[in-house]
Amino acid sequence: MSATPLLPIFVKLESHRCLVVGAGTVALQKITSLIECGAKITVVAPEAISEIERLATAGQLALHRRAYRREDLDHISLVIAATSDPAVNHAVYTDATELNVLVNAVDDPPCCDFYFSSVVRRGPLQIAISTTGESPAFAQQIRQQLQAALPEDTGNWLSRLGRFRRTVIEDQPAGPLRNDLLKKLAAREVCESESCPSRQLARTPKAKAESWWLT
């Protein structure tokens, strides 16, 4: 019997309270991802590696040097169990499940509500790859292939494309014409020059656009 498919979504965690149990190298990887998302992070662990201590000193997270307690989950949106002790990780998972807090127990797929993806980033473009915990190494291989295929300036191009998209949405009413313009913009090279074809297309008056669209 196949597993239930996962829902692939991108979640806004800015200002949401997130808990990380554990303060070793694996925990640091997860903490770094949470910091990038703007989450409010609490770390609980008897000992912490120097990199995590520095983050705490810099005010990027709250560090409590002690063992995990169930009440650490109060008012938490998401928790990551990243200790080297499977019993502690399982306790975090059990508590989180009872309290309806989303939980990820590192390297323990059955004790996860969600998985961390292997991610390709080019500015606003994010491509997440998941094997549902079956083989993170294979996900990394796919990520490397995509990174090699996507030009480094894809993010800058996408940011410019977004500005042109907003111009079209402001100037053109909703409908097939606007949809077609947006599709054609996404298929064209966007450059900085005022004579850039994509710039001209984005500024096409409605009458000209309708004529151009019908050709």
Side-chain angles (χ1 to χ4, degrees), residues 176-209:
L177 172 60
R178 186 168 79 178
N179 292 340
D180 196 63
L181 284 170
L182 294 174
K183 289 178 182 178
K184 290 183 180 296
L185 275 173
R188 289 173 179 254
E189 183 62 34
V190 181
C191 59
E192 294 294 345
S193 170
E194 286 298 318
S195 61
C196 171
S198 289
R199 286 179 180 272
Q200 299 303 316
L201 180 58
R203 295 167 178 164
T204 300
K206 182 178 179 182
K208 289 185 178 180

Side-chain angles (χ1 to χ4, degrees), residues 74-149:
D74 292 347
H75 310 296
I76 292 296
S77 299
L78 177 150
V79 57
I80 299 166
T83 78
S84 58
D85 187 339
V88 173
N89 290 348
H90 186 74
V92 174
Y93 169 76
T94 300
D95 291 344
T97 300
E98 292 176 356
L99 295 171
N100 291 319
V101 177
L102 288 174
V103 58
N104 173 282
V106 175
D107 294 331
D108 191 359
C111 292
C112 293
D113 291 325
F114 66 94
Y115 304 101
F116 281 86
S117 303
S118 190
V119 180
V120 178
R121 286 189 176 89
R122 291 289 188 272
L125 174 65
Q126 293 189 63
I127 303 174
I129 305 109
S130 173
T131 60
T132 318
E134 296 291 345
S135 178
F138 180 69
Q140 291 175 9
Q141 291 180 26
I142 299 298
R143 175 179 58 81
Q144 292 168 358
Q145 293 172 13
L146 288 171
Q147 284 181 324

Side-chain angles (χ1 to χ4, degrees), residues 23-115:
T25 303
V26 174
L28 177 61
Q29 296 173 355
K30 310 308 180 186
I31 289 168
T32 300
S33 296
L34 293 175
I35 289 174
E36 291 175 350
C37 295
K40 296 178 65 175
I41 307 164
T42 298
V43 177
V44 173
E47 298 179 355
I49 60 175
S50 58
E51 291 91 338
I52 293 177
E53 290 181 339
R54 283 196 291 270
L55 291 171
T57 301
Q60 293 188 276
L61 56 85
L63 175 60
H64 301 296
R65 295 179 180 83
R66 57 168 173 77
Y68 161 76
R69 303 169 186 164
R70 181 184 172 93
E71 54 264 34
D72 290 326
L73 291 170
D74 292 347
H75 310 296
I76 292 296
S77 299
L78 177 150
V79 57
I80 299 166
T83 78
S84 58
D85 187 339
V88 173
N89 290 348
H90 186 74
V92 174
Y93 169 76
T94 300
D95 291 344
T97 300
E98 292 176 356
L99 295 171
N100 291 319
V101 177
L102 288 174
V103 58
N104 173 282
V106 175
D107 294 331
D108 191 359
C111 292
C112 293
D113 291 325
F114 66 94
Y115 304 101

